[in-house]
Every structure is written in C-alpha cells, then in structure tokens.
Amino acid sequence: MDKPFAITLDIESSYSNHTGSWRTERPVYIDRLPPCNDACPAGENIQGWLHEAEEGKYENAWRILVRDNPMPGVHGRVCYHPCENACNRQQIDSAVSIHAVERFLGDQALKHGWKVEAGKDSGKKVAIIGAGPSGLSAAWHLRLMGHQVVIFEAGPMAGGMMRFGIPKYRLPREVLDEEISRICDLGVEIKLNSKIDDIPALMDEGFDAVFVAIGAHVARRTDIPARDAGTILDAVSVLQNVETGDTPPLLGRRVIVYGGGNTAFDTARTAKRLGASETMIVYRRNQEQMPAHDFEMHEAVDEGIMVRWLSTIKEIDDTSYKIEKMRLNDEGWPEPTGEFETIEADTLILALGQTTDSSFLEKLDGVEVERNGVVKVDESMMTGFPGVFAGGDMVPADRTVTTATGHGKLAARNIDAWMRGEKWQAGDRHEIAGFKHINPWYYTDAPKKLQPVLDIARRQSTFTEVVKGLDEDNALFEARRCLSCGNCFECDNCYGMCPDNSVIKLGPGKGFEFNYDFCKGCGLCAAECPCGAITMIKEPE
Amino acid sequence: MQQRVKYYQTGTFTVGNRLLDEEKRTVQATKERNNSLTCGHRACQGCGEALGARFAIDAAMNAVNNKLIAVNATGCLEVFSTPYPESSWRIPWIHSLFGNAPAVATGVAAALRARGETKTRVIAQGGDGGTVDIGFGCLSGMFERNDDVLYICYDNEAYMNTGVQRSSRTPPGARTATTPPVGEHPGNSYNQGKNPALIAMAHNIPYVATASVADLHDLEDKVEKAMSISGARYVHIHVPCPLGWGAKPSNTIRLARLAIETGLFPLFEAEDGEIVDTTPIRKQQPVDEYLKLQRRFAHILKDPLALETIQAMADRNISRFNLVREMEVTNNG
Ligand SMILES: Cc1cc2nc3c(=O)[nH]c(=O)nc-3n(C[C@H](O)[C@H](O)[C@H](O)COP(=O)(O)OP(=O)(O)OC[C@H]3O[C@@H](n4cnc5c(N)ncnc54)[C@H](O)[C@@H]3O)c2cc1C
Ligand SMILES: Cc1ncc(C[n+]2csc(CCOP(=O)(O)OP(=O)(O)O)c2C)c(N)n1
Ligand code: SF4
Ligand code: SF4
Ligand SMILES: [Mg+2]
C-alpha cells in the first residue's frame, strides 16, 4: 500500500466509472420508413437508391431500384410520382425530384447496358396474359426467382397502354423498347398476337400458375342524339392508330375531345400534333373535379388546347355541336342550366374511360367480376380460381403504370409462394419517418432543379419528348437534396455530439454503435440526429 | 481540391459528411480523434461543458501534434473529470486553484521555455466564474505580458459546481441560487454585463474569438487558428448547462444554436485588437424561442418589458456585429 497521503484508491482513468448506470432511457438506432417509399405504388426503396446516387454510385443505385421496378426509364417519365407528394422536403422548400433522378438512373442503365441475372431454374412455369406494365413486371420478378415465364399478348407489340395509350412525346419508344427487351433478355418469352380466351386450356399446357393483366381497353361510349352524325371516334383507338400507323386518323382542323381524364388531355395534345389547329376539351364538371393531373392540363394549355369546363354535348348535327352549360348543385354535382351554344367541329373524340373485357374469366369457377369487367382478387392478388392471379387496370385500384407494376411484383411473390404450397408474408412495417422526426436545421438550402422543356413551336407540331432529363450534375444535386428520412446517412452527429464519447464509429458503410457502459441517456444524439434514425426507449429492467 | 457538384446534403452543418472532402470534415468526425476528455467522467447528462472541452482540446491536440499541457481552474470541468485519483483526461493536465489558472499556465509556459521544449504548447481553461470573475486579474496579467498561452473559457453563465450562483456572465432576468425570482425585479439584475472577449481585445493580444458547441466547424477552425499563433490568445466558448439552466439534457445543442440564432451569443474573431470576422445568423429567431426552453427564465416569459429588454440586447449584438446579412455560400463547399 504505497499510496499518496489520504488516498485509498489506485490511480486510474475514469474508465472504471461506468456512468451507464445513471440511465433511465437509452438511445437505439432504428430505420424508420421514409414517406416516399411508403407512397410508391411499386414499393421502391427510394431513400435507399438515392443514398447510393448521392455518392455518384449510379449503378448501385439502379440495382437497388430494379429490385422493385424493372422500368425506371419509363417510370421516371410517366409515373405521377405520389412519392413526391409525401416527401418531407416539401416542408423545407420543395419535394426532391425523385422521378427526375429515377429517369436519370434509367437512362444511365440503357446507356451503359447494365443487366441483371435470372434466378436459378425452379422447374416451375407461369403463364402471363397481357404484356402491359403489370404483366412485364410480374415476368421480371418471376424470372429473378428462377421461374419459366411465357407472356401471351393479344396485340402486335408489347407494352400495353404504355405504348397504345401514353403518347411518344411523353414516353419515347426507344426507352420503352429497350426496357422491355431488358426484361426479355432475362429469358422471358413474349408471344405477340396471341389473344387468350380459355384459361383452363392454357393451364393444361403445363403452366403451374397464371397471372392475368389484360388492362382496360374497351372504350366507354355515351348516347348523344344526332340528326346527322359527323366523325365520332374513341380516344383509345385514336392513340392506338397513331402508334401502329395502320390508319393514321384523319381528324380535320377542328377537334373536340369529350372527357376530363388524362386520356382526354393526351388525345387533345396528340390531335394538335396531327394538325388540328383548334382543339378543345369539353368536360361536364369543373377544374377541381377533373381526374387529370394539373401538370397535364397546364402542358396542354401551353400548347394551345382550349378547355371548356361545366359543359355537356347535347346534340350533334353533322359538324354542329350543341353545348349545354352546367352548374354545380349544392352536392357538387353538375346540373343543366338550359343555356346553349353551338360549336363547329370536324371530329368528336370520346375520352370517357375504359372498361375491361373479362368475359373469358367470368366462365371460371369462383371468379367474381364487378361492374365494368373489374375482377376481384384477394390480398395475395389471386382471383377466386386457385392458381389464377390478376393485377393492373383490371382489378379494383388506381389505374396507373406504377400501380400495375407494383401489382406485378406483389403477384410474383404470391405466385412463387403459392407454387410451393406456401403463403407470402409481407415484412414488418416500420414506423413512418414524419417531418417531426427530422431536424431540418442541418440541411443546406437547396432549391429544386427544374427539368428543361421543349419549346412550344416544336411541341405543337412534333412528337419529340416534351420534358427533358437532368444532366449528371443536376441529377447528383437533386439526389443530395434528399433528407434520408429515418435512415442513417453517417453524418457523424451522434458520434461527435455525445458528451460521454458513448457512440462508437464503425467506419464507412458500417454506421455506429452505442457504448451502454458509459451512455448516460441524455438524448442529445437522438435530438441532433438530422434524419430521425435514433430513438430513445425506456431503459430495460 | 474542388468538388464538381458544390452541394453536400448537410454541407458543413453536421459533424461529418460522407460527401465532403476529407480535409473539410471535423476532427470530431474522425475515428482517430484523441478523446482528450474521455468517458466515465461525472458531468451531468447532456453537459455542454464536457462536450465543449472535448471539442476544443481534441482540436488543439490535433493542431499541435499532441504536444499539449492543460492547466485547469477549479469548477465543474475539473471536479467532474478528476476526482483524484481518477481522471478522464488523456493529456498532461494540472489543477491548482479557482482563480489562478492563467498564472499557473504562465509558469508552465516559462518552465517549458527554460527547458527548451519549444514544441509543447500550453492551454489554460476554466468556467465563467473562474475566468471572468475571480481569475480575471491573473488573466489580464497573462494578456498584458503576452504569455504564450491559449486561455479557453467555458461559459455556462453561472457558478455551476457550487450550486448555480450568479456570475458576471449570468444573463439579465435569469434565476440562480443567489438571484431568486422574487420581488419587484425577479432574477438577475439588468446590468450592462461583462464581455470578456471584448476586454481581451482591449489588451491587443494576437487572437480572440467566441465559439459555441452548436457550431463545431467554426469552433475547431478557431482553436486550430489560435494554436497556429504564439502569444496570449483567448477563446470564449458558450456551453449550455442543463442543470443550472433548467433545461432538458437533450436540448443542449439546440439551446446553444438558439443563442446564436437569436443574436444573444454573437460569434466573432479578432486579431491584434480588431474584429476580423463575424459569423452571420442563418435562420434568425426571436429571443423567447430561446428563453422558453429554460426554467431559469420561466418567471419572465409573461413579462413583456423583460422580453423587450432581452430582445433589445440581441438586436444590439446583431447590429454591432452585423449578424444578419446575406450568407456567403460557405456551406456549399
Ligand atoms: C392515354 C393514356 C395515358 C396514360 N398515361 C399514364 C401516365 O402518364 N402515367 C401512368 O402511370 N399511367 C397512365 N395511364 C394508365 C396506364 O397506362 C395503365 O394504368 C397501365 O398501362 C395498366 O397496365 P396493365 O398492365 O394493367 O394493362 P395494359 O397496359 O392495358 O396492358 C394490358 C395488355 O393486355 C393485352 N390483352 C388484353 N386482353 C388480352 C387477352 N385476352 N389476351 C392476351 N392479351 C390481352 C393488351 O393488348 C395489353 O397489351 C394512361 C392510360 C391511358 C389510356
Ligand atoms: C477561492 C475559491 N473560492 C470558492 C471556491 C469554490 N468554488 C469551486 S468551483 C466554484 C464555481 C465555479 O464556477 P465556474 O468557474 O463558472 O465553473 P463551472 O462550475 O460553472 O463550470 C466555486 C465558487 C474555490 N474552490 N476557491
Ligand atoms: S427527403 Fe428523401 S427520404 Fe425523405 S421523403 Fe424525400 S426523397 Fe424520401
Ligand atoms: S449523446 Fe451519448 S450519453 Fe447522451 S444518449 Fe446519446 S450516447 Fe447516450
Ligand atoms: Mg460557470
């Protein structure tokens, strides 16, 4: 005992004093679900691929992206990006332009020829009916799992409404073709001009399961009294004819499009490009009630399309159209006013929505068909007939490319499990990372990068793509606007700001760990985490 | 090195940033930092002083190749770090008295000089009481002699170690054990206060700066710069005290940040007695945003005159140090 005066302890560092015993709460690292991921109908891990893109690792980013969605080039152009409506960055300045970065990644993949490999052969065979986004997506996912896939497509080309609905000026066909051929390269066989109307016969050919994704292609009509009807066409056939070029539609100089959905706007803009100098949309209800997206209306109006809200077509006499003005009643429904006006037009195009021809499914035991041919499915995307699954526009859901693509993935997972006699289980849902979990102070001010737009003159006369992509610098900048909601991006704030050195830095890509021997549970790390990836929990007993 | 895309998600606002060039990251972000004040110390949960001391001393160690001796005045920093025979300091460190750290440091510097150890540098450090009140005579002498010492004051705005007594850094209106919220003028008196950084400047010493635990890049830059200069230097660091201020331990950084953003704690730098730079406010906040998070101000929150007076102090700082101005694009790299 050779100790200094009045000292009974050995000289040592404070490491022997475990201050962790002071704690009543402890910090833990968590992954919260980014709101964008939650909102994506295709279930993309958006924050995950943006994280890679932020570092300029575009190929990694793309690989994460295509685990959920095989067509980023298409989606970056036509998806209505509900992810951006959910983005937390809206509360700071404006949403991250997720679709623009997705498009950039999609285009990079095509430029560099990035590919993925099919899974090991499972010995199972799946038939897919319809080569729209839903069928193509299911095919991709089933091939990744190693199943054989044959797609039967009634039409002369693959793509469904991505080709026969969405015009070229929004989705250039090179992008669509190349993304479809990348799916085929996985070993997917597409049999064109092969309309299916007998599913049991198809299953007898040795298929273990069937995914039906035939969309909604039958144009809805309306009865308008006509003394001497002029040219009346439906929107879907006009758009389809433009695509196939069989019978280039002769529309004349003055065109009326009847309807207020996206199809109406696409048709009007197409008519303009085909030479109709006066194109007018006539819609029964008002602007707030129109199902088309605002961006689409603005792009159309910029191109010189006129819109007549609260108007119905009452009578047709050759090229004279009697329009009745409507007004909204107290319940918000349009009702006639008795005020009329006559407009001259060469062609009327009806864009009143589409229904599904599912008569061949109705014959199957257990399959339930609702109004307009919509087919009911359970949460595993299976119809009432065992082994027959369905998705996309033909089932009750939003009618978008992205929803259809998401259904394809979900169906593939369920088909895979079903063929093994199992049931697919979704993983645990994490808590959503809301803006209240974000510490916005830490993020640099960074206004969104806008995508360049084609000049008006060319928009009125050609089918050249209207909205351009971001260049690399802008795409990288845009990716870096992401707040990384709910997921650690290694900013070192917890590591740096712990007064008790109780955060251990594990190194790039490995994140951090708490040292509970010394952590006093002050909660500073959680409070100063910019993205909400730390939470405080009650100290376990 | 210039990176092509000049935007880095959180820029230099966070401790680290995987997108930044290595040399633009902080010492605190590195795995190799010294942890000069290491864990096992007995500071309260969320102690701003423990944090500020590690920030400053790690930065200094990094700047001088780990050749450093620190002299510590009595106060929380000394007591919580070194209940003899245990210590959390991982540097040569001496404690003597409450009021004489500058004089002891002067002596250490003289001894090193006498022994020809020109590479080893000296830091003296203490709380606001030890520095601005009882140690102020010694400090002024150290400045006037231009001794080769960096003095760092950790300002938590009261005598915390002995139970929250008022110091000359305690803000107007604040409740302390010796300025209770009673009577006609509850809390601390509304005096003109005492600004040691401005008094240090009056000595025309080579370097004076104010810093905050809420702006780590700025704090490290200032300490590094101080260590590159010889002669007497002074760095005054604002370090919130959860216990003495009646604040949640998790609010320490937030409070330090609000003190900057309101203008109540201006960040500036001076060389040879002249201000050379001030740090502009990024997102200006009214003073009640700062006051309402602290129980020591609870009694004045409903007193418009008190709030007006404190806001006027903030506004005076803002105009005096030109704190609200177009931000240079410093955080874009
Ligand atoms: C003009 C227009 C514009 C649109 N714009 C957008 C947009 O910008 N963004 C967006 O997200 N969505 C848009 N949509 C909606 C989107 O295109 C559809 O929701 C989506 O294509 C549905 O995908 P699907 O796979 O279910 O069906 P579809 O894409 O319709 O594909 C079904 C396929 O099945 C084939 N088929 C049908 N019956 C049979 C059969 N019996 N045997 C074999 N094959 C058969 C069809 O030929 C077709 O190829 C638009 C739709 C239209 C009409
Ligand atoms: C000469 C002398 N007087 C009084 C004390 C008691 N004492 C020890 S620490 C302290 C207050 C320290 O306050 P400050 O310097 O602000 O440091 P803090 O504890 O707030 O960090 C006092 C009064 C002492 N140690 N020596
Ligand atoms: S900031 Fe990033 S992670 Fe958060 S919602 Fe927007 S894109 Fe998703
Ligand atoms: S900052 Fe440190 S002491 Fe405080 S809760 Fe986090 S790890 Fe624990
Ligand atoms: Mg003090």
Side-chain angles (χ1 to χ4, degrees):
Chain A
M1 284 289 271
D2 196 15
K3 296 201 167 75
F5 173 71
I7 294 295
T8 54
L9 298 168
D10 284 323
I11 292 181
E12 58 184 318
S13 88
S14 56
Y15 290 132
S16 54
N17 183 33
H18 284 188
T19 50
S21 63
W22 301 15
R23 217 166 39 231
T24 55
E25 279 190 308
R26 63 165 58 187
V28 286
Y29 289 103
I30 48 162
D31 289 336
R32 288 193 170 102
L33 178 63
C36 51
N37 294 18
D38 180 57
C40 174
E44 286 182 27
N45 180 2
I46 296 165
Q47 177 277 328
W49 55 255
L50 281 172
H51 183 88
E52 294 296 312
E54 284 153 25
E55 294 179 37
K57 295 179 182 158
Y58 305 126
E59 185 171 346
N60 290 1
W62 180 81
R63 290 194 182 280
I64 295 173
L65 201 170
V66 296
R67 274 186 220 152
D68 297 298
N69 182 345
M71 296 176 286
V74 168
H75 283 80
R77 290 173 167 84
V78 306
C79 177
Y80 300 125
H81 42 77
C83 53
E84 295 179 24
N85 299 338
C87 175
N88 278 329
R89 185 143 195 146
Q90 284 176 108
Q91 326 269 338
I92 295 180
D93 39 34
S94 55
V96 174
S97 194
I98 298 170
H99 74 279
V101 182
E102 178 170 26
R103 169 176 173 164
F104 173 77
L105 294 174
D107 290 356
Q108 287 286 304
L110 298 179
K111 187 166 144 200
H112 299 291
W114 298 332
K115 295 243 184 290
V116 302
E117 302 266 309
K120 214 170 102 260
D121 193 7
S122 69
K124 298 270 199 270
K125 225 172 137 183
V126 182
I128 293 176
I129 307 176
S134 208
L136 289 165
S137 159
W140 170 267
H141 291 286
L142 288 164
R143 283 303 293 142
L144 294 180
M145 298 169 189
H147 306 305
Q148 294 258 344
V149 177
V150 182
I151 304 183
F152 298 90
E153 164 56 53
M157 284 182 267
M161 280 300 185
M162 297 188 292
R163 185 183 301 278
F164 294 118
I166 303 175
K168 280 194 190 72
Y169 59 82
R170 291 205 290 125
L171 177 57
R173 296 311 185 235
E174 309 78 66
V175 176
L176 179 62
D177 290 343
E178 287 183 53
E179 292 205 321
I180 293 177
S181 49
R182 191 171 56 218
I183 296 171
C184 295
D185 290 347
L186 268 187
V188 175
E189 187 187 346
I190 305 185
K191 292 196 153 110
L192 297 172
N193 304 309
S194 308
K195 184 166 177 163
I196 297 294
D197 52 16
D198 187 348
I199 289 186
L202 184 68
M203 289 181 96
D204 286 344
E205 286 176 37
F207 291 102
D208 298 285
V210 180
F211 178 57
V212 192
I214 54 173
H217 290 227
V218 184
R220 224 184 253 142
R221 314 224 19 135
T222 179
D223 280 329
I224 305 169
R227 214 164 302 161
D228 187 5
T231 316
I232 304 183
L233 305 170
D234 74 77
V236 187
S237 1
V238 170
L239 293 171
Q240 185 162 344
N241 287 349
V242 173
E243 188 61 26
T244 52
D246 301 343
T247 42
L250 294 169
L251 302 176
R253 199 171 55 77
R254 302 159 304 176
V255 173
I256 295 179
V257 179
Y258 198 20
N262 292 306
T263 307
F265 284 89
D266 274 337
T267 308
R269 295 174 71 186
T270 297
K272 187 97 195 176
R273 284 165 170 80
L274 292 174
S277 50
E278 286 172 30
T279 310
M280 178 186 288
I281 285 176
V282 175
Y283 179 51
R284 287 176 60 209
R285 312 173 100 193
N286 67 9
Q287 189 177 342
E288 285 75 59
Q289 294 169 326
M290 104 186 143
H293 292 85
D294 281 344
F295 82 89
E296 211 139 28
M297 188 202 63
H298 291 307
E299 286 181 9
V301 169
D302 286 348
E303 288 165 15
I305 312 283
M306 292 164 286
V307 188
R308 228 166 220 270
W309 309 109
L310 289 169
S311 304
T312 53
I313 302 176
K314 213 53 203 164
E315 254 173 53
I316 308 172
D317 184 4
D318 195 12
T319 57
S320 296
Y321 290 80
K322 193 166 161 196
I323 308 278
E324 177 165 18
K325 276 209 185 134
M326 308 293 275
R327 78 170 148 247
L328 293 183
N329 66 17
D330 294 341
E331 279 100 67
W333 292 101
E335 54 182 27
T337 58
E339 280 176 56
F340 297 96
E341 192 185 342
T342 301
I343 302 179
E344 292 293 313
D346 302 306
T347 305
L348 170 67
I349 306 177
L350 303 176
L352 303 169
Q354 292 93 244
T355 60
T356 299
D357 176 12
S358 46
S359 48
F360 70 107
L361 283 160
E362 248 163 306
K363 290 184 285 193
L364 298 183
D365 276 350
V367 173
E368 280 181 67
V369 178
E370 297 178 352
R371 233 161 58 95
N372 297 326
V374 168
V375 173
K376 267 177 86 169
V377 287
D378 64 15
E379 75 287 342
S380 73
M381 307 303 291
M382 191 156 78
T383 65
F385 191 87
V388 176
F389 296 75
D393 277 5
M394 66 177 291
V395 305
D398 282 349
R399 289 187 167 176
T400 68
V401 171
T402 325
T403 304
T405 302
H407 284 175
K409 175 175 86 170
L410 196 58
R413 288 178 175 172
N414 281 293
I415 290 169
D416 173 67
W418 186 84
M419 291 192 301
R420 281 185 276 108
E422 293 166 12
K423 211 168 157 40
W424 179 75
Q425 292 289 347
D428 283 345
R429 266 181 70 84
H430 294 210
E431 179 198 7
I432 292 186
F435 191 66
K436 65 168 191 274
H437 297 118
I438 302 290
N439 191 333
W441 195 87
Y442 286 108
Y443 296 95
T444 328
D445 303 307
K448 178 192 200 118
K449 295 286 178 195
L450 294 178
Q451 290 169 266
V453 175
L454 193 70
D455 63 80
I456 289 290
R458 288 180 63 208
R459 278 166 63 178
Q460 288 169 331
S461 56
T462 71
F463 282 84
T464 309
E465 186 167 26
V466 171
V467 180
K468 304 278 157 207
L470 297 180
D471 64 17
E472 189 194 333
D473 278 1
N474 286 338
L476 186 59
F477 179 97
E478 207 43 50
R480 288 176 173 191
R481 291 181 66 237
C482 173
L483 313 176
S484 194
C485 305
N487 288 265
C488 175
F489 60 106
E490 297 180 36
C491 72
D492 295 320
N493 260 12
C494 53
Y495 174 63
M497 292 191 189
C498 173
D500 291 280
N501 306 356
S502 297
V503 176
I504 302 163
K505 177 167 171 152
L506 301 173
K510 303 200 192 86
F512 306 85
E513 242 170 45
F514 291 108
N515 182 350
Y516 294 117
D517 285 348
F518 296 103
C519 162
K520 293 171 184 163
C522 68
L524 251 183
C525 50
E528 298 307 318
C529 173
C531 68
I534 302 177
T535 192
M536 299 300 290
I537 59 166
K538 225 173 108 47
E539 186 64 15
E541 298 290 309
Chain B
M1 199 182 93
Q2 194 72 28
Q3 286 190 352
R4 203 154 47 93
V5 173
K6 292 188 161 189
Y7 172 66
Y8 310 109
Q9 193 162 37
T10 54
T12 52
F13 296 133
T14 41
V15 168
N17 183 338
R18 71 192 207 287
L19 305 174
L20 271 183
D21 291 340
E22 296 257 353
E23 66 265 29
K24 287 197 183 126
R25 304 186 196 171
T26 61
V27 173
Q28 286 303 309
T30 62
K31 277 176 95 167
E32 299 74 32
R33 73 184 192 209
N34 190 54
N35 288 328
S36 308
L37 177 66
T38 196
C39 43
H41 63 68
R42 291 146 201 254
C44 300
Q45 295 172 313
C47 173
E49 190 167 71
L51 198 53
R54 193 188 73 226
F55 285 175
I57 303 300
D58 277 0
M61 284 287 279
N62 185 63
V64 300
N65 225 352
N66 296 345
K67 288 193 155 309
L68 191 72
I69 296 177
V71 175
N72 215 127
T74 311
C76 278
L77 183 61
E78 166 263 321
V79 171
F80 72 59
S81 68
T82 316
Y84 190 77
E86 221 174 66
S87 179
S88 350
W89 290 105
R90 294 172 18 114
I91 52 164
W93 179 91
I94 318 168
H95 165 235
S96 66
L97 293 176
F98 187 27
N100 70 353
V104 174
T106 297
V108 173
L112 287 170
R113 203 167 56 243
R115 292 172 56 152
E117 288 206 36
T118 51
K119 293 238 156 56
T120 304
R121 307 294 301 276
V122 181
I123 284 183
Q125 55 184 357
D128 49 298
T131 306
V132 193
D133 293 343
I134 188 171
F136 210 61
C138 295
L139 186 64
S140 177
M142 184 198 107
F143 289 159
E144 172 270 322
R145 295 186 303 272
N146 200 25
D147 293 323
D148 189 21
V149 174
L150 166 62
Y151 193 97
I152 302 176
C153 173
Y154 301 102
D155 182 4
N156 54 19
E157 303 183 344
Y159 291 56
M160 297 310 181
N161 185 56
T162 40
V164 198
Q165 293 83 19
R166 174 198 183 276
S167 81
S168 56
R169 289 295 299 160
T170 300
R175 178 195 72 190
T176 66
T178 48
T179 55
V182 292
E184 211 182 318
H185 300 289
N188 191 29
S189 57
Y190 289 68
N191 293 341
Q192 67 273 22
K194 183 167 172 184
N195 191 325
L198 295 180
I199 303 173
M201 282 166 59
H203 293 75
N204 292 326
I205 56 174
Y207 189 72
V208 173
T210 60
S212 164
V213 284
D215 194 341
L216 178 61
H217 278 262
D218 180 72
L219 184 155
E220 287 193 353
D221 286 351
K222 285 170 175 168
V223 171
E224 193 188 323
K225 185 155 175 197
M227 294 317 289
S228 72
I229 297 170
S230 49
R233 291 141 288 145
Y234 182 74
V235 174
H236 188 93
I237 304 178
H238 198 221
V239 292
C241 167
L243 181 86
W245 295 11
K248 284 203 299 192
S250 57
N251 271 344
T252 295
I253 298 288
R254 186 167 169 211
L255 284 170
R257 183 158 60 233
L258 281 165
I260 300 170
E261 305 276 278
T262 51
L264 287 172
F265 193 86
L267 296 179
F268 60 88
E269 241 184 331
E271 289 171 19
D272 304 318
E274 300 297 333
I275 290 195
V276 291
D277 203 3
T278 67
T279 306
I281 290 172
R282 183 162 168 241
K283 293 185 194 309
Q284 197 185 343
Q285 302 284 337
V287 292
D288 56 323
E289 290 294 318
Y290 172 66
L291 303 176
K292 73 185 183 195
L293 299 175
Q294 308 173 51
R295 279 196 308 279
R296 63 174 171 159
F297 293 116
H299 57 281
I300 62 168
L301 287 180
K302 288 195 185 72
D303 178 352
L305 194 64
L307 290 180
E308 232 173 81
T309 311
I310 296 174
Q311 185 63 56
M313 284 169 49
D315 294 343
R316 173 145 196 266
N317 283 338
I318 288 170
S319 68
R320 182 170 188 182
F321 297 100
N322 187 24
L323 299 179
V324 175
R325 57 181 200 255
E326 275 298 297
M327 275 263 260
E328 303 96 274
V329 268
T330 45
N331 277 299
N332 288 354

